[in-house]
Every structure is written in structure tokens, then in C-alpha cells.
Amino acid sequence: MEIKFLKLIKTIAEEGSIANSSEKLFLTQSALSHQLKDLEIQLGFKVFYRTRNSWELTEEGHVLYKTACTVIDSIGDGLSTIQQIRAGAAGRIKVSTECYSFYQGLPFFIQKMGVLYPDIEVDLVLEATHQPILKMIANEIDIAIVTSKPSDKELVSIEVFEDEIFAVLHQENQLNHSEYLDAHDFMDIHLIIHSLPLKTVSVHEIFLKPNGVIPAKISAVPLTEVALEMVQANIGITCMPKWALKSFKLSDELSFKKIGKDGLKRKHYLVVRKSDVRKKYVSDFLLNFKEHFQNFG
């Protein structure tokens, strides 16, 4: 049964006649009479007993009236709930990451969010890079992308994906013959990193530092394009995940090597304040972020 018929029954029952219902339903009395007649033909029973001065519900009509009230009230409650949800669906989210390489994948995601959720404004806070957790605790950013869970009980960590970091080197590099690179292989090389300090460099913190290895030379080159050109010139090697290089045209002279026998893997987490995680616009961001990046590993 169409909603318009339920509204018709409810309004006539409460207003007492078609004449009184016409203005409320924004239809002429003639149109309402035709609608009611068509409905009763479809149902196979009368909904109202008509007299000159009053319209009374039949026994079947009483049941239909109660049904109409339940359905219409339920729709109204649902729409009200949706309005409340939508009221919390708009907001501004400031995002940062502990690793510059992650910015390679963020602009496209932010563009996608802008199309799907125009009421959510996403800002990249570059100055919070390398210390996003401290900035989050200070309320300077709202979401951090990190590779280790913070211990603060007021923060929630959500695992997004696991990736693997590879050594990128020139095919003529003497290490290219190796199946994988050991820690001691890094002792005599020129390691090209994105930025200092070294504690923000995954290959150093996870692999080299635990093995007591410091490369012969370390250069911080913030532009990935320049770092790759240096590697192509066989000036040194750099280390990064393959997904971070998807947007670059790579030379056939470059080679990827595992770091360590089992590979150098790390997990990525989204960190958000516990007080924010249930906000509609924040949860929309978190769910879409996980869906977008889950295949990056």
C-alpha cells in the first residue's frame, strides 16, 4: 500500500471528513474522494461509514488507521534520526603522519573524500610530521598515521595494513647480486633517506639500529624524485615500500631487494582520540581510509 493512502486514512479519521482534510493534504475534495474510492476497491472493504455530518471508521478501518499511525510515526522518527546523524556528519579533520612517504597516497584519498563527503574538510598538517602523537595529545591534529601503537589510554589505534620496505638500488650496484640485504651490507653504503632525525626512519629503527649498524654515509633528500635519480646514477640506495612509488615512472635499471631474510615489514595504524572516535564525520573518515588503503601492503 502506498504511503499516500495511509496519510489519507489517518488525516480523514483525525479531521472527521474529507472537507476538513483537503487543506491539510493539499488536494481537492474531489481528488481525495477518488483516492479513497480507489483504495476501498483495492482493499475489498469500506474504510469509512459516511453520513452527512461525520465520517466513522469501520472495524477494518480502525485496524488500518492504527497501522497508518504506526507506519507514519516510524517514518517520522527515522527521518528525525537521519537528520541528527547528518548534523554530526560535517566537520574538519587535521591529519598528519610520522613518515613523509605516506603523503604519496594521501592527496588522492582526500580528493575522493571531498567528492563522497563534501561536508568533511580534511587538512594535511605537514609541520606535525615525525611527532604526530604529541601533536594529537596537544589537540593540534585529529588523526595520526603511525607504525607503532601509542601507549596513551586516551587514544585509539586502528590497524589499517601491513607493508614491506625494500632496498631500491641500481642494477650495477655490488649488492644487486644478493638475494636479500643483511644489516652488515649497509655498513659501506650511501643510504639516502627522506628526512632526519634517524629515529623516524623505519629501516634504521627496525633493522639497522638493533644490529648496531650505521651506514658509511647518510643523506636526507626530501624529494622522492631526486632520491630515485640519485639511485639511478648509482650514487647510493634508498629504502621504501613499493606502493609509495606507484605514481613514479621507474627506470628499468632499478632493482628491489628484500631487507633481511624475511623482509622488513611494518604495520600502519590510524590513531584517533577516544573522545572523537564516535563522531560521525570522524568514523566516516576512518572507515573510508581503511577501505582505501587496505590493499597497499
Side-chain angles (χ1 to χ4, degrees):
M1 181 184 294
E2 296 180 50
I3 296 296
K4 69 177 182 180
F5 290 132
L6 295 177
K7 288 183 178 179
L8 175 64
I9 293 166
K10 185 174 185 295
T11 305
I12 294 175
E14 293 174 354
E15 295 299 320
S17 70
I18 278 186
N20 295 338
S21 304
S22 177
E23 186 176 343
K24 280 189 171 288
L25 294 175
F26 304 103
L27 289 171
T28 64
Q29 295 184 43
S30 175
L32 293 181
S33 295
H34 279 98
Q35 281 190 15
L36 182 58
K37 182 178 180 180
D38 291 342
L39 174 61
E40 289 179 329
I41 291 173
Q42 290 179 32
L43 295 174
F45 59 81
K46 292 184 69 65
V47 179
F48 292 95
Y49 291 121
R50 298 140 170 103
T51 65
R52 181 182 293 272
N53 297 319
S54 67
W55 290 54
E56 299 292 336
L57 287 164
T58 63
E59 186 175 354
E60 296 91 341
H62 274 291
V63 176
L64 205 52
Y65 169 70
K66 290 180 180 178
T67 300
C69 290
T70 300
V71 171
I72 292 171
D73 289 347
S74 179
I75 292 173
D77 291 342
L79 291 175
S80 177
T81 300
I82 290 172
Q83 288 177 346
Q84 292 175 11
I85 291 173
R86 295 308 304 164
R92 183 185 182 194
I93 299 175
K94 292 174 285 184
V95 182
S96 192
T97 171
E98 67 180 9
C99 177
Y100 272 110
S101 64
F102 210 97
Y103 288 119
Q104 298 292 343
L106 280 173
F108 179 74
F109 170 70
I110 292 174
Q111 181 185 44
K112 176 182 173 183
M113 283 291 295
V115 173
L116 296 176
Y117 299 89
D119 294 328
I120 300 178
E121 181 182 354
V122 182
D123 292 335
L124 291 180
V125 185
L126 299 179
E127 55 269 29
T129 303
H130 298 333
Q131 49 184 352
I133 299 302
L134 291 177
K135 295 294 185 180
M136 177 174 289
I137 293 173
N139 289 312
E140 294 181 30
I141 65 171
D142 305 300
I143 292 176
I145 304 164
V146 299
T147 54
S148 60
K149 293 182 179 181
S151 58
D152 194 301
K153 294 182 179 179
E154 297 304 313
L155 302 178
V156 176
S157 300
I158 302 167
E159 183 177 338
V160 181
F161 70 94
E162 181 180 70
D163 66 2
E164 181 175 354
I165 299 174
F166 291 86
V168 188
L169 45 86
H170 193 277
Q171 289 181 352
E172 294 181 1
N173 190 293
Q174 60 181 358
L175 295 175
N176 190 44
H177 69 277
S178 303
E179 181 182 353
Y180 58 88
L181 303 191
D182 279 323
H184 70 267
D185 290 327
F186 285 79
M187 295 184 67
D188 298 321
I189 69 166
H190 177 193
L191 179 63
I192 303 167
I193 63 175
H194 196 282
S195 60
L196 293 168
L198 281 176
K199 67 179 181 180
T200 64
V201 180
S202 295
V203 69
H204 174 267
E205 287 296 292
I206 303 173
F207 189 65
L208 300 181
K209 184 178 177 181
N211 286 288
V213 172
I214 298 179
K217 182 179 180 180
I218 300 175
S219 296
V221 179
L223 296 177
T224 303
E225 297 95 328
V226 177
L228 291 173
E229 286 182 8
M230 291 174 69
V231 174
Q232 187 173 342
N234 203 12
I235 294 175
I237 73 171
T238 191
C239 299
M240 59 182 62
K242 290 182 178 180
W243 63 261
L245 299 175
K246 286 183 177 180
S247 60
F248 298 96
K249 184 178 181 180
L250 302 180
S251 168
D252 294 336
E253 297 176 339
L254 298 183
S255 180
F256 290 86
K257 292 293 178 181
K258 278 185 171 291
I259 300 174
K261 185 177 181 179
D262 298 321
L264 180 57
K265 298 178 181 179
R266 60 183 181 173
K267 292 182 178 180
H268 292 266
Y269 301 89
L270 279 178
V271 181
V272 61
R273 284 182 290 272
K274 189 178 293 184
S275 58
D276 291 341
V277 74
R278 294 191 179 279
K279 293 179 180 178
K280 180 69 170 66
Y281 67 94
V282 173
S283 64
D284 283 341
F285 178 93
L286 297 176
L287 289 172
N288 280 275
F289 188 98
K290 188 168 185 178
E291 178 183 331
H292 181 81
F293 286 99
Q294 63 184 349
N295 295 321
F296 269 46

